[in-house]
Amino acid sequence: RPVFIGPLVGLACGGLEAGLALGALFEFLSFDSEPMGSAIPMNSAVAASSAALMAAGPDLVPLAAAFPAGAALGFLHRGLEIRIRQRRGALTLRAGRELQSNGRVAWEPLLAASAWPHLLSTALVVGLGTALLSPLALAAWIIMPRAVLRALEFAFDASLWIALACLLRALGRRK
């Protein structure tokens, strides 16, 4: 969950406050968005960890720039996750065929074939994505006109309130 991974990444990088803010923001925005069947939302844990790494890591990207960059990586991971889930469907069929023909399923290779692609894609998106986007976000922040920077900072500050409203709405629907 973003509310855990954001602060953990922030703490590991020496920016606990940034990790808390970004983790809470992504948590609030995604509280009611869980993968179900073919409906896959943005991976908010990838978004939170990437944004926290950008904001608390060596580049110290401002929160207002780290947030959309992290969200972009969360959406990128979503696309990979859709493909991985499609592949898992084929593994399920394979397990069914094994069960029918052998009366048992060799679970170890199936679990490895299922888990490794997800783990590797997550590491690739967070690691490589952050390494590429962090300096770009920081460079863009430096050259942006002052009015645009203020607008982005205002939008980030307002997003916490918008995210809180999303959380309250989601909790209200659970009655």
Side-chain angles (χ1 to χ4, degrees):
R1 298 294 316 186
V3 73
F4 295 110
I5 193 70
L8 284 175
V9 170
L11 180 65
C13 294
L16 178 60
E17 298 82 12
L20 280 168
L22 291 162
L25 182 55
F26 281 110
E27 182 71 33
F28 288 168
L29 289 173
S30 65
F31 181 76
D32 206 24
S33 301
E34 291 298 323
M36 284 192 199
S38 63
I40 310 292
M42 166 186 71
N43 189 312
S44 55
V46 166
S49 57
S50 299
L53 189 55
M54 286 184 233
D59 290 329
L60 296 176
V61 175
L63 292 175
F67 174 71
L73 292 175
F75 278 110
L76 173 65
H77 191 278
R78 174 189 178 270
L80 295 172
E81 196 165 351
I82 288 169
R83 287 175 185 80
I84 290 168
R85 284 176 180 261
Q86 289 168 342
R87 186 168 180 264
R88 280 189 196 144
L91 292 174
T92 303
L93 293 174
R94 187 170 120 195
R97 283 192 302 270
E98 276 187 42
L99 188 58
Q100 267 187 332
S101 64
N102 302 336
R104 66 182 245 35
V105 177
W107 289 109
E108 294 83 11
L110 285 176
L111 291 173
S114 174
W116 280 109
H118 197 120
L119 178 66
L120 292 174
S121 70
T122 301
L124 182 70
V125 169
V126 173
L128 186 60
T130 300
L132 293 173
L133 273 186
S134 190
L136 289 174
L138 189 59
W141 192 262
I142 291 169
I143 63 170
M144 270 188 219
R146 192 86 187 121
V148 174
L149 293 178
R150 278 193 233 121
L152 287 171
E153 288 169 341
F154 175 80
F156 179 78
D157 292 342
S159 66
L160 192 54
W161 293 103
I162 294 166
L164 183 57
C166 290
L167 174 65
L168 292 174
R169 179 176 172 262
L171 291 173
R173 285 193 307 207
R174 292 187 176 211
K175 289 183 179 181

